[in-house]
């Protein structure tokens, strides 16, 4: 973790293969970054599954209401919820949806992002300006690439833990 420039705005996500380091972009999307840190600090992302993983596109997770594999888990409901916190207004920017970027998942309403997010497997320029980008994987992308595919996956992978680097 020696390469972490800003521990308060860095997320350490532990997957079964190892740690993924995500640098948050608070200058670009302050509300989304604050939400991710709040939920991480509450332990809300721990044991939440990757419920929608499309090869060559992205891996989606973060449904803290229905995706926790340790609490009344039903893969059919994973992806339908968020957190108890209010939805966030869009924070669109010129940052591209490049490989390893973190995007806010939402419904058709641009101001409906809450706790769910996705990590792009490749450059997905067609998403630019339509979904909030608020982070970038800086190490461990090989662990993201190894996440079980499916919509939903038969045996989903999970975020074992999600922590703010400053707290580790």
């Amino acid at each position: 973790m020696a390469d972490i420039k800003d521990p308060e705005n860095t997320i350490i996500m532990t997957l079964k293969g190892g740690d993924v380091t995500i640098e948050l972009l608070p200058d670009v999307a302050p509300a989304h970054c604050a939400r991710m840190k709040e939920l991480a600090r509450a332990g809300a992302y721990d044991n939440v599954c990757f419920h929608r993983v499309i090869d060559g596109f992205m891996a989606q997770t973060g449904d803290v209401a229905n995706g926790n594999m340790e609490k009344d888990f039903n893969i059919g409901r994973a992806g339908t919820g968020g957190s108890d916190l209010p939805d966030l207004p869009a924070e669109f920017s010129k940052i591209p949806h490049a490989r390893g970027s973190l995007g806010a998942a939402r419904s058709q309403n641009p101001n409906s992002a809450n706790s769910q997010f996705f990590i792009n497997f490749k450059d997905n320029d067609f998403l630019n300006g339509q979904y909030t980008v608020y982070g970038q994987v800086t190490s461990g992308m090989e662990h993201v690439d190894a996440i079980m595919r499916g919509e939903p996956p038969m045996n989903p992978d999970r975020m074992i833990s999600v922590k703010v680097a400053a707290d580790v």
Side-chain angles (χ1 to χ4, degrees):
M1 294 200 323
D3 59 343
I4 294 176
K5 298 180 207 88
D6 181 2
E8 180 57 31
N9 288 298
T10 302
I11 296 292
I12 307 296
M13 176 191 299
T14 303
L15 303 181
K16 73 177 179 205
D19 287 345
V20 178
T21 304
I22 301 166
E23 195 173 292
L24 295 177
L25 305 170
D27 296 344
V28 174
H32 286 76
C33 294
R35 172 65 52 85
M36 181 166 221
K37 291 191 299 184
E38 180 178 0
L39 291 171
R41 286 189 160 124
Y45 283 129
D46 297 355
N47 293 305
V48 172
C49 75
F50 285 88
H51 64 269
R52 185 168 175 247
V53 186
I54 304 170
D55 201 37
F57 180 32
M58 58 89 214
Q60 186 170 331
T61 184
D63 182 347
V64 300
N66 302 316
N68 187 320
M69 295 176 74
E70 302 296 318
K71 289 186 191 162
D72 301 327
F73 182 65
N74 175 343
I75 188 64
R77 291 184 54 226
T80 62
S83 73
D84 294 335
L85 301 167
D87 288 347
L88 296 168
E91 294 178 298
F92 297 155
S93 70
K94 300 275 188 222
I95 306 285
H97 282 268
R99 173 170 164 76
S101 61
L102 195 73
R106 60 170 178 79
S107 70
Q108 295 293 338
N109 175 352
N111 300 314
S112 64
N114 190 298
S115 62
Q116 292 189 47
F117 61 92
F118 57 91
I119 302 172
N120 288 289
F121 286 131
K122 67 174 188 66
D123 294 355
N124 289 314
D125 295 335
F126 66 95
L127 298 175
N128 292 351
Q130 298 180 55
Y131 291 82
T132 300
V133 175
Y134 63 105
Q136 178 66 45
V137 172
T138 57
S139 70
M141 191 62 193
E142 67 275 15
H143 307 308
V144 176
D145 289 334
I147 293 169
M148 180 69 61
R149 305 310 200 249
E151 297 182 74
M154 297 257 292
N155 296 297
D157 284 311
R158 70 179 78 186
M159 297 182 286
I160 296 165
S161 79
V162 179
K163 305 273 184 257
V164 178
D167 303 340
V168 177

